[in-house]
Amino acid sequence: MASYCCFRKSRRPSPYNDFSIPRFRLISIQDMLYLVLRPEGEVVVIEGIGGLGKTWAARAAFETARNSNRFDNYLWISLSGRCSRRRCIEKIATCLSIDIGEELLSSRIRVMIMEHLARSKFLVVLDNAYFVEDNILRYLGIPDPREQNFGSKVIVTTRTRRATAVVKPTIVITPEPLTYQASYDLLHEKIGKDIDPDLIENCFGMPLSLILLGGALCDVPTQEEFRVLIREAYVAQGPKVSVFTTMIRLVEFGYRRLPSVTARLCFQYCLNFPDDEAVPIKDLIILWMVHDLIPETRGYHEANCIGMEILHVLSKHGLIHFEGEDHIRVHDVIRETVFPEHENGYAELYDWYIDNCIRISELFLRGNHYMRTICEDFFCREGTLRVLDLSFTRIIFLPQSISRLSYLRFLLLVECGHLEKIQHIGSLEKLEILKASGCCSLKSVESGSFDRMSLLEILDLSKTSIECLPSLAACTKLNKLLLQDCPCLSEQTTETIRFPFGVSKKGAARNLQLGASKDLVDWMDMHWLPCGLTFELSDRFGMSISQDVNQTSKTYIHANHANLFQSLDKESTLWLNCFRKFHIVISPSKFDETMGNEFIEPRTKFSSVDLRSSDFDRFLEVNCVSITNDIEGVLGHAVLISLKSVTETDEVWSLNTGKMTAAQELWIEECHQLENLFLVEEVHLLSRIGKLHNIWISNMENLAYFCQGIEVLTSFSCLMHMHLDCCPKLNFLFPSSLRLPNLRSLHIRFCDSLERVFDEPINAEYALPGLQTLQLWELPELTCICGGVLPSLKDLKEKRVGGTI
C-alpha cells in the first residue's frame, strides 16, 4: 500500500507551525487524479479530517472519468456515520437499478450486486464512509478490482483510520492543507478584498474554513463596515486550539452572519433531512412554504423564486452546496456543529406522535425504509397536521384514518415504490400539494378523490404506473399537473374523464407535463383550455421555463415528434383561448441534449436594424425532425418560425412555406437537404405569406434557389430584412420578376458561388427602391447586384467581394 499527500498548488514554506500531518510522498492535484484514474484496478482511499476537501477530490476524479467515458458503470454512494450496512447495500442496488423487492435478504441483494458488477468495468465512490467491518467491500457485493482485471476502481473517502484499514486499499491519499498563497487567492476571489495575514493563517489552510470565512465577509457595502467585520472575525476565531475547533467557530460565525432571520430558519430546516441524502430543492421549498418561512401570498411560483434566492445566499455563505441543479447538501461538519445527531426508532416515534398529535403541524417519516404499513388508527386523533411526508418508505397503502387530517396541506409520497393505490384522501379539502412521483407500482387514485380539493395547486404523478385519473374539474386552483413517464395512462376508461381530465374552465392550471403517452392529446375534441399552460409531450422532461418569461398567459409545448399536432386544426377554437399566445418546440430528446434546457423568450434576430421590432407571442421551433402536414394548423398561426436541422418533408422540400400565413419572421438553419425554399408550384399560395417581414437563412449546404420561377410581383411585398450566410451552392438570389419595395436591409455573407443578386439585369429604382443597408462579406464571385444606383442606400459594407458591383 502506497501513501501520498496531495497539494493543490506547489508547496511554499508553511505558516502553519502548530499544525502538522504525517510526511508522505508529495504530489500535485494532477498527479492525484492520475493515481485515482490510472488503468490498473485499484482501491483508493482519500483520508483526512472533515473539511479538508476529500469529497471535492473524489468528485473531480469521478466527473473526469465520466466525461472521458472510461467505465461502464458509475456509482456515487453517499454515506454517513449512521448509515447501516443494509442501507449501503440498498443504495448500491438502487444505483444499479436492481429490484430488491420487499423482503429480500441482504445476502441475496449482495449476490445480485456482485453478479451485476462482475461483468463490467466500474467506478464506485463510497463517500464519507465509516466502515468498521473487515472485508467490507465483499460484504457490500463490490468485486475486488485487483482480482477482476478489468481496470475497475473503488474510491473511498473517510475520516477514520479504521475505515481505511478494512477496505484494504492499494493507495491512500491525504489531501494537504492549502498553502498560504492558495488560501489568500481563494479568499480574495470570494470577497474581492485583501485580508489580514493572521486571519488567513488562523484557518490552517482548511478549504471549508476558508469558504465559511469568505462567505461571512462577502457583500459588505463599505470599507468601515468591513473593518468592523474583520475584528468580529478575529474574535470569532478565538485562540488557536485545533483545526476542528476553529472550523466549528467559523460555522457559528457564518451562521450568525446570515442576512436575515428567514435565511437562518430556512437553513435550520435543511438539517431535518437525512445526512446521507441530498435534499430535493422542490420539496424543500414546499416545506419552507408550509411553515411560513417564505412568503406565499402570491402563489407557488413567487415562493419558489424567493426560495431559490435564499438557497443561493446560503450557498454563498458556504453553509450549503448545490449538488446538480435539483438538490442541495449540508456538509457533515456544518451539520454536526449546528445540529448534533439524534436517533429515534419508529416505535418510539409512534408513541410520541400519539401523545402529541394535537400539537404538531408536520410529521416526517421520509426515508424510513423499514416501514411497510401504517396502523389503521394512526391518524384517528384529529389534529392540526399540515405536512405529512411518507416519501422513500415501503408503504403499500394509506390507512383509512388519513381521511381525518382535515388541516393537511402537503402530502408527499415521493418514491414510495410499493404504493399501489392512493385512497381515503377525498375529505382533505385543504390539500394544496400532492406529490407521488416515482411510485412505480402506483396504478390508480380512488375515484372522486379530487372532487372537494378546490385548493389543490400541484399534482405530481410522474413516473408512476397510473392507469386512470379521476376528474380534476373541482381543482380550480390547479397550477401544475405532472404526468410525464406514465406509460400505462389511458385516454379514457369507464371511471375517468379523458384529457384534459376535467380541468375546469375556472381553473388556473399552468403546467401540464404529460410524458410520452402516444396519441394522448386529441385536440379536435377540445373547445377550451386555460391560457398559459406548459405541456410536456416527449420521452423525457428536458425543458424548463426561464424565470424571466411571463407565465401568466403564454402556453408552452415541448414535443419530440410532429404527429402530436395532427388533430390540431387551423380552425380550432383553441387558437382563441389556450393558444392565443404560444411557444411550441418540436425536437427529439437527443437534439435537446446538445441544446440549452430552457424556454427563452423569443426575440427577433434583426433588432440591430429594426428598432421597432418586438418579441413574438406565437413561436414555433422545429429542430432535427421531419416536417409533415400534421403541423399545418400550427404553421398557419405561428408568427415566428424557426426550422433547424430539419431532415425531410412530405412535399419534396417545400417546407410547407405556403401555409405560413401568419408568419412575420422565418429562421431556417442547417437544413442541408433543402435545395429550393419557395417552389414555383406554390405560386397560388405565395400571396398568403404577405405578412413575412424578416427572413434569416444560414448554413444551407445544398440550397441552390431561394424562389425559383416565381413570377408573382408582390409575393414578398412586406419583406423588410433579409440575412443570408453560408450557402455555397447559391448562384443568384432573386428572379428578376420579383419586386421588393419594402426591403430595407440585405446581408449576404460566405456564399462562395453567388454571382448576382438578381438572375437578370434590373433597374435598382424598380427592384430595390427602399434598400438602406447593404452588407456583403466573403463573396468571391459576386459581380452584380442590379442596374443603376440604389436610391435609398445609406450604409454599405463590403469585405472580399469578387468583381465590380
Side-chain angles (χ1 to χ4, degrees), residues 64-133:
T64 300
R66 185 158 59 179
N67 292 337
S68 58
N69 198 27
R70 298 185 181 213
F71 299 90
D72 301 322
N73 286 307
Y74 299 86
L75 284 73
W76 183 282
I77 312 297
S78 296
L79 305 173
S80 68
R82 59 179 183 178
C83 187
S84 66
R85 289 181 298 174
R86 168 76 186 198
R87 176 64 179 143
C88 185
I89 292 174
E90 290 176 350
K91 280 174 167 277
I92 297 172
T94 300
C95 286
L96 293 172
S97 301
I98 296 174
D99 185 6
I100 60 177
E102 183 177 349
E103 301 291 346
L104 211 57
L105 297 175
S106 296
S107 56
R108 178 54 188 154
I109 301 174
R110 181 168 64 247
V111 171
M112 295 169 70
I113 294 172
M114 183 75 72
E115 292 174 348
H116 193 106
L117 293 178
R119 302 187 300 269
S120 64
K121 182 180 179 181
F122 59 83
L123 172 60
V124 176
V125 178
L126 302 172
D127 184 42
N128 197 25
Y130 286 81
F131 300 134
V132 295
E133 302 88 352

Side-chain angles (χ1 to χ4, degrees), residues 788-805:
V789 178
L790 294 168
S792 303
L793 189 64
K794 298 178 181 179
D795 184 11
L796 172 62
K797 295 179 180 179
E798 60 176 296
K799 182 179 181 181
R800 295 191 180 94
V801 177
T804 302
I805 299 177

Side-chain angles (χ1 to χ4, degrees), residues 7 24 51 165 232-233 263 305 349 360 369 377 388 413 435 517 537 586 648 675 693:
F7 284 95
F24 300 114
E232 293 179 3
C305 293
L349 177 63
I360 69 168
H369 302 278
D377 62 345
L388 176 59
L413 304 169
K435 299 189 69 173
S517 299
L537 299 160
I586 305 175
E648 61 183 62
E675 296 179 0
H693 294 168

Side-chain angles (χ1 to χ4, degrees), residues 584 586 591 605 619-628 631 634-635 638 640-649 653-658 660 663 665-672 674 677-678 696-700:
I584 296 175
I586 305 175
F591 185 85
K605 287 182 178 286
F619 180 25
L620 170 63
E621 185 177 351
V622 183
N623 299 323
C624 204
V625 295
S626 301
I627 293 187
T628 66
I631 64 171
V634 183
L635 283 172
L640 170 60
I641 300 174
S642 171
L643 308 173
K644 187 170 185 178
S645 302
V646 176
T647 54
E648 61 183 62
T649 67
W653 286 106
S654 68
L655 286 178
N656 295 305
T657 47
M660 302 176 184
E665 187 161 322
L666 175 63
W667 308 341
I668 305 178
E669 304 175 64
E670 299 179 13
C671 298
H672 299 307
L674 182 63
L677 183 54
F678 297 98
W696 183 289
I697 303 174
S698 178
N699 292 300
M700 308 282 280

Side-chain angles (χ1 to χ4, degrees), residues 503-661:
V503 175
S504 170
K505 256 193 176 186
K506 299 178 181 179
R510 288 290 176 268
N511 195 314
L512 302 184
Q513 298 173 15
L514 303 178
S517 299
K518 295 182 179 179
D519 301 323
L520 180 64
V521 179
D522 188 356
W523 308 102
M524 289 292 290
D525 292 341
M526 301 182 207
H527 299 286
W528 183 93
L529 276 175
C531 298
L533 295 175
T534 297
F535 290 86
E536 171 58 29
L537 299 160
S538 64
D539 292 335
R540 64 179 182 85
F541 187 67
M543 303 291 284
S544 60
I545 300 179
S546 178
Q547 295 295 334
D548 61 349
V549 172
N550 177 8
Q551 300 181 59
T552 60
S553 59
K554 183 175 287 188
T555 292
Y556 296 84
I557 297 182
H558 178 219
N560 64 351
H561 41 76
N563 60 12
L564 290 163
F565 302 93
Q566 60 187 355
S567 63
L568 185 57
D569 187 76
K570 183 179 179 181
E571 306 302 326
S572 170
T573 57
L574 292 179
W575 298 111
L576 302 177
N577 45 72
C578 179
F579 295 110
R580 187 172 55 201
K581 297 180 180 181
F582 63 78
H583 183 168
I584 296 175
V585 177
I586 305 175
S587 176
S589 300
K590 289 183 179 179
F591 185 85
D592 291 336
E593 290 174 0
T594 63
M595 303 293 290
N597 64 342
E598 282 195 331
F599 282 107
I600 301 174
E601 193 70 15
R603 292 178 171 85
T604 179
K605 287 182 178 286
F606 297 90
S607 57
S608 60
V609 293
D610 188 358
L611 298 178
R612 295 176 297 176
S613 63
S614 59
D615 300 338
F616 296 95
D617 289 334
R618 295 185 173 188
F619 180 25
L620 170 63
E621 185 177 351
V622 183
N623 299 323
C624 204
V625 295
S626 301
I627 293 187
T628 66
N629 288 328
D630 294 337
I631 64 171
E632 180 176 349
V634 183
L635 283 172
H637 287 272
V639 176
L640 170 60
I641 300 174
S642 171
L643 308 173
K644 187 170 185 178
S645 302
V646 176
T647 54
E648 61 183 62
T649 67
D650 289 346
E651 299 182 3
V652 195
W653 286 106
S654 68
L655 286 178
N656 295 305
T657 47
K659 298 168 185 176
M660 302 176 184
T661 55

Side-chain angles (χ1 to χ4, degrees), residues 190-256:
K190 193 167 182 64
I191 65 178
K193 294 183 175 74
D194 291 331
I195 303 294
D196 294 348
D198 290 342
L199 201 59
I200 299 175
E201 292 180 12
N202 289 346
C203 291
F204 295 101
M206 301 299 292
L208 181 58
S209 295
L210 292 162
I211 290 171
L212 289 167
L213 179 61
L217 299 178
C218 67
D219 297 335
V220 181
T222 66
Q223 188 63 32
E224 179 59 31
E225 292 181 66
F226 183 70
R227 285 194 290 267
V228 173
L229 193 57
I230 289 293
R231 290 194 293 269
E232 293 179 3
Y234 273 115
V235 174
Q237 283 186 335
K240 292 183 179 180
V241 176
S242 68
V243 176
F244 202 69
T245 299
T246 299
M247 198 177 301
I248 291 174
R249 291 168 177 168
L250 287 173
V251 170
E252 296 170 349
F253 179 57
Y255 175 77
R256 293 197 306 271

